[in-house]
Amino acid sequence: MELRVIDKTDEELRLEIAGEDHTFMNVIKGALLETPGVAAATYDMNPEQSGGQTDPILSVKTEPGTDPLDALGDASRRVQELSTNFTSAFEAAL
């Protein structure tokens, strides 16, 4: 997975995430929307709307005082924790 910051301000982040599809993008967007201080999270995979871009672009807008990179880190850790918990529950069920 390759990440490239397109734009970053105190309250906004646009990040290209190469090689990912709707499955991953929906998970990270959902985790961001549950993160305190996040006002909005979306992603775009439409080349017509993103200047011919084919890799997804994640956009995050935060409330004042919340750094969007910190919010993305928090959301990523939560996704990792959920995945670990699911794996443990699945293995226990076998």
Side-chain angles (χ1 to χ4, degrees):
M1 174 183 302
E2 290 183 39
L3 306 177
R4 181 174 67 91
V5 174
I6 297 170
D7 293 311
K8 164 78 170 74
T9 67
D10 289 344
E11 297 170 1
E12 294 187 35
L13 172 68
R14 290 186 66 230
L15 182 72
E16 177 185 60
I17 305 176
E20 293 303 328
D21 60 15
H22 289 287
T23 303
F24 177 79
M25 298 306 294
N26 275 313
V27 169
I28 199 68
K29 180 187 84 166
L32 277 162
L33 291 172
E34 295 174 353
T35 300
V38 172
T42 63
Y43 71 91
D44 184 12
M45 295 185 81
N46 187 342
E48 291 83 33
Q49 293 179 349
S50 59
Q53 180 66 38
T54 56
D55 287 317
I57 296 174
L58 178 68
S59 299
V60 182
K61 178 156 178 47
T62 59
E63 297 167 356
T66 300
D67 185 283
L69 287 174
D70 291 341
L72 182 56
D74 291 346
S76 297
R77 283 185 286 280
R78 197 164 42 265
V79 169
Q80 184 177 12
E81 182 180 327
L82 287 170
S83 178
T84 299
N85 291 344
F86 177 81
T87 300
S88 295
F90 178 75
E91 289 172 351
L94 294 177

